[in-house]
Amino acid sequence: MKEFVIVAAALLMFLACQPKEAELTTKKEVESIFPSGEKGSDEFFTGNAYALSLVPSDSTLTTLVGNVYFEAGARSHWHTHPAGQILIITDGIGYHQLEGQPRQELKKGDVATCPPNIRHWHGASPYTGMQQLYIIPNNEKGIVEWMEPVTDEQYFR
Ligand code: MN
């Protein structure tokens, strides 16, 4: 009987220490260099993503630079950039996928590129958010063409 009580108490302590579902899906703290910016539209993002413009496009530099914070589980819809895009990850964990290629995992310090007019998406991992700087060059060719959402099947595989 005494053994049973000890085993039961140990089991209860073990269970109490397990992360609950809500904690697993709650965003973990990710450090930011910049203010979060404006919440991205549901037309272009699944979940909560916040964008801040750092360098607006002008006729001399024709390059957009900005920051996006993706909360855990948030991601862009599929889209293309007519002149390509560079992503620089400053914190957290996320994903980037060029259509037809395996999904890449990205973490702080990683750099990813997308060639012109290739469909891709980027976003946070399910349990940890991601901070990314983006650079979009040659804006005279266009900036972004938005397409359909990334399905859960595509995101979680
Ligand atoms: Mn992109």
Side-chain angles (χ1 to χ4, degrees):
M1 186 61 190
K2 193 179 169 194
E3 286 81 354
F4 172 78
V5 171
I6 290 167
V7 168
L11 183 63
L12 276 175
M13 284 175 66
F14 174 78
L15 290 173
C17 292
Q18 295 305 296
K20 294 167 194 71
E21 187 69 23
E23 287 166 358
L24 283 175
T25 52
T26 300
K27 70 167 181 161
K28 299 215 172 36
E29 284 305 312
V30 172
E31 285 188 26
S32 178
I33 300 171
F34 308 105
S36 336
E38 307 249 314
K39 187 177 179 302
S41 166
D42 292 347
E43 282 180 72
F44 310 133
F45 296 94
T46 299
N48 296 326
Y50 299 86
L52 178 74
S53 171
L54 296 171
V55 180
S57 183
D58 65 34
S59 58
T60 311
L61 295 175
T62 66
T63 300
L64 266 185
V65 181
N67 189 72
V68 179
Y69 169 51
F70 291 97
E71 281 186 6
R75 68 266 191 181
S76 73
H77 290 184
W78 286 98
H79 59 280
T80 60
H81 301 283
Q85 184 178 45
I86 300 161
L87 302 174
I88 299 171
I89 312 310
T90 59
D91 203 10
I93 299 172
Y95 302 141
H96 174 227
Q97 186 173 23
L98 300 174
E99 190 169 49
Q101 295 192 24
R103 192 189 65 193
Q104 290 176 272
E105 187 168 303
L106 301 174
K107 60 182 189 315
K108 182 177 182 175
D110 286 343
V111 178
T113 58
C114 179
N117 294 314
I118 298 293
R119 280 163 52 89
H120 81 155
W121 63 270
H122 29 118
S125 72
Y127 307 123
T128 304
M130 180 173 78
Q131 293 280 0
Q132 58 148 66
L133 282 166
Y134 65 83
I135 300 169
I136 303 177
N138 303 321
N139 295 168
E140 68 280 7
K141 294 179 183 170
I143 293 170
V144 60
E145 309 241 350
W146 289 106
M147 294 155 193
E148 77 280 10
V150 173
T151 63
D152 282 351
E153 202 171 47
Q154 292 167 329
Y155 177 71
F156 284 106
R157 84 173 149 196

